[in-house]
Amino acid sequence: MRAIVVTDQAAGTAGMTLAERPEPSAAINDVVVEVQASGYVPTELEWPSTWTDRAGRDRAPSILGHELAGVVTELGYGTTGLSVGQRVFGLADWHRDGTLAEYVAIEARNVAPLPGDVDFTVGASLPISGLTAWQGLFQHGRLQSGQSVLAHGAAGAVGTMVTQLAREFGAYVIGTGRAADRDKALDFGAHEFVDLANDSLDDVGPVDLVFDVIGGDVQKSSAARIKPGGTLVTVVGPPEARPADGLAIDFVVEADRGQLTEIVQRVRDGRLRTNIGTVATLDDAVATFNSTERLKGKTIVRLRS
């Protein structure tokens, strides 16, 4: 099968190649999925799990990608709840070969049924962005109706999900980003927008929850905006700053079938829109990932037309 492979961490995106790899087989509790579409996160090349397994052993050449939508072609021993021919979408394990491939072996619990009225491209755009937003807001941030959320990167793939879900649950959302992102952030539901290059976070009133995807000085300024008892949630590693009277939580998104089902149902009934930017073919994917232009929104690779 064809797959996007990396072998040299120092080479960055320039080290990506479209190569032939053996087709995977289904281990116990796995399914094999014929991948129709895959999501890609640019920071994958910086993740330790791209290069080593859980025991710290080198696992290159590695197949990139962790989000998928496709069709089940094989069930591993003991796999229940799914069937051959079923449409699914989900989030692959960080330490296993990924989804930028024509086939992937994935734990059955890490995928959910993809309804027939949801396109594979849309399905592949949901797992990381949707689950990150859901878990950050509700599991870790414990968001309540009537609270306020400062959502960084509000025009990005995660930020637009954060904004929409927070609004649905009755929160007031202040989005941040570049000046050029203002209209998109507001279109996805932010009540206000802060241009991080030209506006000051010091002018933002106290908030209950900060959803941080940036870190550094932005995180430090944001922590000072948090109300007593509030929470800073971040996905960029251990917090560098903490609220004076509140919690600071960093987390890594996890696959969750129930949450994926909740998310895709919201897409079906119009409560949630995806933020898909670039859609490339597998043949064009390496060139797309090496583009000098800023990729906006979620980048999706269609493996089959």
Side-chain angles (χ1 to χ4, degrees):
M1 68 171 186
R2 297 191 305 159
I4 304 293
V5 173
V6 289
T7 57
D8 180 1
Q9 187 170 6
T13 55
M16 294 178 176
T17 56
L18 179 58
E20 285 290 331
R21 298 293 295 159
E23 288 189 16
S25 57
I28 294 174
N29 296 323
D30 274 358
V31 292
V32 172
V33 177
E34 181 185 68
V35 181
Q36 301 290 320
S38 172
Y40 171 70
V41 179
T43 55
E44 284 185 34
L45 294 173
E46 302 167 16
W47 300 349
S49 56
T50 298
W51 304 102
T52 59
D53 64 17
R54 284 187 168 83
R57 297 171 300 217
D58 179 21
R59 69 179 196 87
S62 303
I63 298 174
L64 294 171
H66 292 282
E67 299 167 282
L68 83 155
V71 178
V72 175
T73 60
E74 181 185 341
L75 303 179
Y77 180 80
T79 298
T80 59
L82 297 170
S83 58
V84 171
Q86 186 170 11
R87 301 170 93 249
V88 294
F89 73 119
L91 179 62
D93 186 278
W94 310 121
H95 290 85
R96 295 177 62 170
D97 274 341
T99 58
L100 284 168
E102 292 177 317
Y103 295 88
V104 66
I106 183 172
E107 289 182 76
R109 64 178 182 173
N110 289 355
V111 299
L114 181 69
D117 56 356
V118 178
D119 185 80
F120 287 118
T121 299
V122 173
S125 74
L126 295 173
I128 288 181
S129 301
L131 290 172
T132 298
W134 188 282
Q135 292 167 19
L137 288 171
F138 307 129
Q139 283 183 225
H140 304 294
R142 302 182 182 276
L143 182 68
Q144 302 293 319
S145 177
Q147 291 187 327
S148 52
V149 177
L150 180 61
H152 290 305
V158 173
T160 50
M161 289 286 183
V162 169
T163 298
Q164 293 175 91
L165 289 171
R167 276 204 65 150
E168 181 194 340
F169 278 76
Y172 185 87
V173 182
I174 304 164
T176 79
R178 307 179 187 207
D181 296 331
R182 180 184 299 272
D183 289 346
K184 177 178 277 192
L186 295 175
D187 180 58
F188 274 93
H191 293 90
E192 299 178 32
F193 183 81
V194 177
D195 171 5
L196 291 176
N198 298 299
D199 302 331
S200 174
L201 285 174
D202 293 339
D203 296 331
V204 175
V207 297
D208 297 287
L209 175 64
V210 170
F211 202 117
D212 171 45
V213 297
I214 299 174
D217 290 340
V218 169
Q219 184 187 99
K220 293 173 184 175
S221 297
S222 302
R225 309 268 73 78
I226 296 175
K227 296 177 182 178
T231 307
L232 168 72
V233 173
T234 181
V235 294
V236 295
E240 301 175 55
R242 296 178 176 274
D245 181 12
L247 296 175
I249 299 170
D250 68 294
F251 75 101
V252 176
V253 64
E254 298 179 349
D256 187 295
R257 182 181 290 176
Q259 292 172 7
L260 286 170
T261 301
E262 292 274 6
I263 290 163
V264 79
Q265 181 56 46
R266 284 165 168 76
V267 172
R268 297 180 74 198
D269 62 26
R271 283 178 288 169
L272 195 61
R273 288 186 289 142
T274 57
N275 180 10
I276 297 172
T278 302
V279 180
T281 65
L282 187 59
D283 287 323
D284 296 335
V286 171
T288 298
F289 300 154
N290 278 279
S291 172
T292 56
E293 296 182 11
R294 179 188 174 209
L295 297 177
K296 298 180 180 180
K298 188 72 192 177
T299 300
I300 301 295
V301 175
R302 283 291 306 215
L303 285 94
R304 293 170 174 85
S305 56

